[in-house]
Amino acid sequence: MDLGEPVTSAPLAARLSVPSGPLFFPVTAYGPDGTVDLVAFRAHVRQGVEAGAAAVFACCGTGEFHALTPEEFQECVRAAVAETAGRVPVVAGAGYGTALAVRYARLAEEAGADGLLAMPPYLVVAPQEGLLRHYRALAAATSLPVIVYQRDNAVFTPETVVELARTEGIVGLKDGVGDLDLMQRIVSAVRSEAPADGPGEGLDGAPDDFLYFNGLPTAELTQPAYRGLGVTLYSSAVFCFVPEIALAFHEALRSGDEALVRRLLDGFYRPFVELRSQGRGYAVSLVKAGVRLRGLDVGEVRPPLHEPAGEHVERLGRLIERGYALLEEQEKVREDK
């Protein structure tokens, strides 16, 4: 493999390098007849941006990318772009085999997206060389910067990530595996073997515009550990339905408020993850139920996902109340000091 020369990433990397808030992965809204409800979707996106999201990742995992037709996908991306109006970047999902991934990438570019989140290829377990060819072809297909999503059947060696980092158009890696040993070796390899040249070089000689994301479900639970690796960006599905809690946690991490971090981890995030583990697909369907509980009718999930059990939705409602109570308790503690 030819490592080539390091490249400079597109502006998306600069816009995300110092996150002002959580990264927002909106659900896709459906009407009673099961079709995409763009009015509700735009309201959902608008609420997230106004609440303080640093970016909108439209039609990705939480947004049921797998369930959307190409036409629906482009409509939703276009709606997200229109609703954000440039206030924050819009990143769209792209996936399946190489040909379809390229098609979705071009649809996203036509819709005005600022970047792509590249999902794993469909079904196949490919060798590292094949994965590299796939993501390079996707990066070359449009002018949009690409964030590669590591999960399931697309898990990379540190050497492959070095090559991804040297590929024009690829600006970051989102980790959905949770192997901290592997992530440390990836970060170290890119820092050591793909150093930046000139103004883009960080203090440690690393390409400071190559991004790393914690992409685990309910990433807040593991984010303190990821921060130890220097990974400050993370996806927040919880932001979809309790943005105030997600923002408070994000700020507590940023400011070093360990008391609030622990309070929210122990009292909200860990119980939420335990509830999420009660059903398959709850990383999406339970989040969507949470959005509905908070007053916005975004419809149900599409098959093959299924709605969460009623008792689990009730537990989610109580947990949401508990999360807001924790914020109130913390505010009282601050006032008493």
Side-chain angles (χ1 to χ4, degrees), residues 187-260:
V187 171
S188 176
V190 172
R191 183 168 59 226
S192 302
E193 300 176 33
D197 292 326
E201 185 174 344
L203 295 176
D204 55 5
D208 59 1
D209 52 4
F210 193 75
L211 306 174
Y212 298 98
F213 302 75
N214 175 2
L216 291 173
T218 317
E220 285 93 340
L221 190 70
T222 54
Q223 187 53 27
Y226 273 81
R227 284 182 69 87
L229 304 180
V231 178
T232 58
L233 292 161
Y234 62 90
S235 55
S236 179
V238 163
F239 185 86
C240 287
F241 61 94
V242 283
E244 297 88 352
I245 295 173
L247 281 164
F249 184 83
H250 186 275
E251 175 58 23
L253 280 176
R254 188 198 65 78
S255 64
D257 186 348
E258 294 294 331
L260 183 55

Side-chain angles (χ1 to χ4, degrees), residues 42 45-46 49 55-56 79-90 114:
R42 286 188 64 149
V45 171
R46 180 169 62 253
V49 173
V56 173
V81 169
E83 199 60 53
T84 58
R87 289 174 289 175
V88 298
V90 174
D114 298 290

Side-chain angles (χ1 to χ4, degrees), residues 146-167:
V146 176
I147 299 162
V148 176
Y149 197 176
Q150 170 171 260
R151 58 174 293 174
D152 300 322
N153 58 324
V155 180
F156 308 106
T157 65
E159 293 77 16
T160 298
V161 180
V162 168
E163 299 215 27
L164 291 172
R166 290 179 177 272
T167 299

Side-chain angles (χ1 to χ4, degrees), residues 2-35:
D2 179 15
L3 291 180
E5 294 298 324
V7 297
T8 301
S9 68
L12 177 68
R15 297 179 73 181
L16 292 179
S17 60
V18 183
S20 58
L23 305 180
F24 177 31
F25 286 67
V27 302
T28 298
Y30 305 125
D33 61 355
T35 60

Side-chain angles (χ1 to χ4, degrees), residues 83-149:
E83 199 60 53
T84 58
R87 289 174 289 175
V88 298
V90 174
V91 180
Y96 302 118
T98 306
L100 272 177
V102 165
R103 181 183 178 192
Y104 278 94
R106 289 173 176 162
L107 289 172
E109 185 175 43
E110 291 171 5
D114 298 290
L116 300 170
L117 178 63
M119 310 288 192
Y122 174 71
L123 193 60
V124 296
V125 178
Q128 296 291 296
E129 178 63 32
L131 290 171
L132 185 59
R133 288 178 60 199
H134 170 79
Y135 292 108
R136 280 181 166 170
L138 180 58
T142 74
S143 64
L144 298 180
V146 176
I147 299 162
V148 176
Y149 197 176

